[in-house]
């Protein structure tokens, strides 16, 4: 596994954040959970205080994989409660190793409702777990009867304030604006490996520049049961809208970022922010929401990183 540092190898006060660019196996809960155990242990051995897992790491991007899926099957086989073994394991790992864990996207079940959510497990939280639920649903999620969130709580990690934009939320700069106005240093853009938005890189760069915030797109390798591999690159964008790091997705990697670097961004929004905001909205109108083939928007099949 490749190990890379972003922004230099020195670790300023505030600790280190790492992105686990791992293989995610279709409907492979045991394999994926075992990979999480190993990477959290590795993080603790290397003084990393927070680790970001791949999108939909428990089972993979289930909704994007199948044209037809029943809500009952989604609820029964793929949606996780707070008491599920996977979530409980994340909480236990965080408590045991002293490493905070960010799961940017998963299906959360609360009573009869299913949400697309972000989970943050931390040994410093009273209940060990905080979640936030997707505010905007796409057509397929609405047809499945998924529920949308009603609030947007911030995640606070020893002075680092962050939140996620989950899939379609990338197309609503008002959500990013709310997050940054609540003093966020980092936006994590959580996207499916199989069909990410075709123009997600341009939109992520625009958000970084408009709101003077660091943007992280965590990638991974998604492995289907037939052996097909889809790769989404891990990208780091600075507050000037520049890509300062990109890891192509066919090789697993452990990417380390000093938290002090992420807190160094100026909080003043530039004078041209209104212009960039208008350009962002034009991008949204110009492109379709989702690409239809694996290579669109930076995704590539095995042996074909884009």
């Amino acid at each position: 596994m490749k190990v890379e540092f972003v922004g230099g190898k020195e670790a300023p006060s505030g600790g280190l954040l790492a992105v686990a660019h791992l293989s995610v196996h279709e409907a492979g809960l045991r394999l994926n959970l075992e990979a999480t155990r190993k990477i959290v242990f590795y993080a603790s051995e290397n003084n990393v205080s927070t680790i970001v897992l791949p999108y939909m790491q428990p089972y993979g991007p289930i909704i994007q994989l199948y044209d037809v899926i029943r809500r009952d099957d989604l609820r029964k086989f793929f949606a996780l409660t707070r008491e599920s073994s996977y979530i409980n394991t994340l909480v236990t790992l965080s408590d045991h190793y002293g490493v905070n864990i960010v799961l940017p996207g998963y299906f959360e079940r609360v009573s009869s409702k299913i949400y697309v959510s972000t989970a943050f497990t931390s040994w410093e939280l009273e209940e060990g777990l905080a979640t936030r639920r997707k505010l905007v649903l796409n057509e397929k999620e609405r047809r499945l009867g998924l529920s949308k969130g009603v609030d947007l709580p911030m995640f606070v990690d020893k002075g680092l304030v962050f939140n996620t934009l989950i899939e379609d939320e990338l197309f609503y700069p008002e959500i990013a604006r709310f997050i940054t106005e609540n003093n966020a240093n980092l936006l994590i853009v959580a996207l499916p490996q199989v069909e990410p938005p075709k123009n997600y890189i341009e939109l992520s760069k625009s958000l970084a520049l408009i709101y003077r915030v660091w943007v992280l797109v965590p990638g991974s390798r998604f492995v289907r049961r037939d052996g097909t591999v889809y790769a989404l690159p891990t990208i780091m964008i600075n507050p000037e809208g520049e890509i300062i790091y990109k890891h192509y997705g066919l090789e697993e990697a452990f990417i380390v970022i000093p938290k002090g670097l992420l807190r160094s961004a100026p909080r003043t929004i530039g004078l041209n922010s209104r212009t960039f905001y208008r350009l962002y909205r034009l991008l949204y109108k110009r492109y379709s929401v989702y690409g239809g083939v694996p290579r669109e928007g930076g995704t590539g099949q095995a042996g074909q990183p884009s």
Side-chain angles (χ1 to χ4, degrees):
M1 180 174 61
K2 190 175 184 180
V3 178
E4 295 197 2
F5 288 81
V6 179
K9 296 185 179 182
E10 298 298 323
S13 60
L16 298 170
L17 178 144
V19 183
H21 189 104
L22 301 175
S23 297
V24 177
H25 296 269
E26 178 185 355
L29 183 65
R30 290 185 180 181
L31 279 174
N32 296 331
L33 188 54
E34 184 59 28
T36 298
R37 292 180 189 273
K38 291 178 180 178
I39 205 67
V40 171
F41 172 75
Y42 183 81
S44 70
E45 290 292 295
N46 287 273
N47 300 314
V48 169
S49 55
T50 303
I51 189 164
V52 181
L53 297 178
Y55 175 84
M56 289 287 174
Q57 203 259 7
Y59 296 102
I62 298 299
I63 289 183
Q64 284 79 20
L65 286 181
Y66 310 114
D67 291 333
V68 178
I69 186 172
R70 297 192 312 148
R71 185 181 188 279
D72 288 346
D73 290 337
L74 188 67
R75 182 180 185 278
K76 182 177 180 181
F77 297 112
F78 302 114
L80 305 177
T81 67
R82 293 176 75 97
E83 293 75 32
S84 297
S85 60
Y86 182 93
I87 297 297
N88 267 329
T89 298
L90 294 190
V91 174
T92 300
L93 288 171
S94 180
D95 184 63
H96 182 75
Y97 291 112
V99 176
N100 300 330
I101 303 170
V102 182
L103 178 60
Y106 76 108
F107 296 112
E108 179 190 15
R109 178 161 58 90
V110 180
S111 187
S112 62
K113 294 184 177 181
I114 303 174
Y115 302 91
V116 181
S117 300
T118 291
F120 177 58
T121 64
S122 173
W123 57 279
E124 297 179 299
L125 294 174
E126 184 175 350
E127 297 183 2
L129 173 69
T131 63
R132 90 91 166 162
R133 293 154 186 166
K134 187 180 178 187
L135 300 176
V136 179
L137 301 181
N138 60 43
E139 183 180 352
K140 198 165 188 179
E141 290 165 346
R142 289 193 294 269
R143 288 202 309 264
L144 282 168
L146 272 60
S147 299
K148 61 182 180 179
V150 295
D151 57 8
L152 192 56
M154 297 297 114
F155 299 113
V156 181
D157 182 6
K158 291 184 176 178
L160 177 67
V161 183
F162 69 93
N163 218 311
T164 51
L165 294 176
I166 307 174
E167 296 183 41
D168 313 78
E169 292 178 336
L170 178 63
F171 290 89
Y172 293 83
E174 296 84 358
I175 298 176
R177 179 178 181 177
F178 180 87
I179 292 171
T180 54
E181 286 183 349
N182 279 272
N183 300 314
N185 315 101
L186 175 66
L187 286 175
I188 299 176
V189 177
L191 302 173
Q193 302 91 332
V194 177
E195 291 184 353
K198 291 190 294 186
N199 52 326
Y200 74 91
I201 295 178
E202 289 82 3
L203 295 179
S204 297
K205 289 167 64 177
S206 296
L207 287 181
L209 185 57
I210 291 170
Y211 298 118
R212 293 294 191 264
V213 65
W214 289 89
V215 174
L216 168 65
V217 183
S220 66
R221 301 173 69 250
F222 175 66
V223 184
R224 297 208 62 173
R225 281 177 281 197
D226 64 3
T228 303
V229 177
Y230 293 84
L232 186 76
T234 291
I235 299 172
M236 195 75 207
I237 302 169
N238 69 15
E240 284 70 47
E242 303 164 338
I243 295 177
I244 66 165
Y245 175 84
K246 186 174 184 180
H247 172 76
Y248 289 98
L250 291 178
E251 182 180 2
E252 291 192 340
F254 186 79
I255 301 152
V256 182
I257 309 163
K259 290 183 180 177
L261 176 68
L262 303 176
R263 289 197 295 266
S264 65
R267 300 307 305 151
T268 302
I269 295 176
L271 295 176
N272 292 325
S273 62
R274 290 184 181 273
T275 300
F276 286 116
Y277 185 95
R278 287 195 295 269
L279 288 173
Y280 189 98
R281 300 300 296 177
L282 286 174
L283 277 171
Y284 170 69
K285 293 177 181 178
R286 180 177 176 184
Y287 293 99
S288 60
V289 174
Y290 285 105
V293 294
R295 285 187 58 79
E296 292 286 1
T299 306
Q301 288 191 5
Q304 299 175 338
S306 54

